Amino acid sequence: MKASRVLAAAAARVGPAMRKQVLTLTEEAATRVHHLLQQRQKPFLRLGVKARGCNGLSYTLNYADEKGKFDELVEEKGVRILVEPKALMHVIGTKMDFIDDKLRSEFVFINPNSQGQCGCGESFMTTSTSSSAKQSG
């Protein structure tokens, strides 16, 4: 009885468990997403991954009118991004940036789960991707 009271008191002090942020945005990315959503008059941008490229996966960005049943909603810096359920394990902890210079204008993803990237930067591989490739190969 005493042990459970001690544990309950400790849990109350610690508070709710912190969950790793699915996706964070830089100010530049948030500004660009906000501009794109206003331009198309859409409430959400949906982030996903697709099997393609040299290394297995590439990011997809699409406009969305509503949240899917299993989409993860990320609300940050005044924009709302939906993360597709099948992309979640590949992008958790990723930072989304936007680069606009003389050579390119694009979203860039800094992904701590990435185990490799092709030379052109269009595709990436995570631990999950590489283990499923080994099983099927």
Side-chain angles (χ1 to χ4, degrees):
M1 193 62 110
K2 186 177 181 180
S4 62
R5 276 186 279 166
V6 170
L7 288 175
R13 281 194 305 272
V14 171
M18 291 299 293
R19 207 170 81 155
K20 190 171 188 178
Q21 181 79 9
V22 174
L23 181 71
T24 57
L25 288 86
T26 63
E27 286 297 331
E28 293 80 6
T31 300
R32 183 63 179 167
V33 169
H34 186 264
H35 171 74
L36 292 171
L37 291 175
Q38 271 193 327
Q39 193 175 31
R40 293 285 180 111
Q41 297 181 357
K42 298 287 183 179
F44 305 105
L45 197 61
R46 179 173 280 124
L47 172 65
V49 294
K50 185 180 253 185
R52 71 172 176 219
C54 317
N55 257 345
L57 296 172
S58 64
Y59 300 102
T60 62
L61 287 171
N62 294 295
Y63 297 103
D65 289 315
E66 59 188 41
K67 180 184 180 298
K69 185 176 182 179
F70 298 107
D71 286 343
E72 181 80 19
L73 174 62
V74 175
E75 292 185 87
E76 188 175 341
K77 297 180 173 86
V79 298
R80 299 187 302 173
I81 297 181
L82 302 172
V83 180
E84 293 178 350
K86 70 178 186 176
L88 198 55
M89 68 179 174
H90 299 291
V91 302
I92 197 161
T94 296
K95 181 186 282 187
M96 183 176 173
D97 195 8
F98 183 72
I99 302 205
D100 188 17
D101 60 28
K102 291 179 181 179
L103 297 176
R104 60 189 176 160
S105 181
E106 64 185 352
F107 286 105
V108 176
F109 297 89
I110 299 100
N111 188 339
N113 307 304
S114 180
Q115 298 293 312
Q117 193 170 328
C118 68
C120 64
E122 290 295 317
S123 65
F124 67 101
M125 175 177 46
T126 64
T127 306
S128 309
T129 316
S130 60
S131 60
S132 64
K134 287 176 188 170
Q135 289 172 358
S136 65

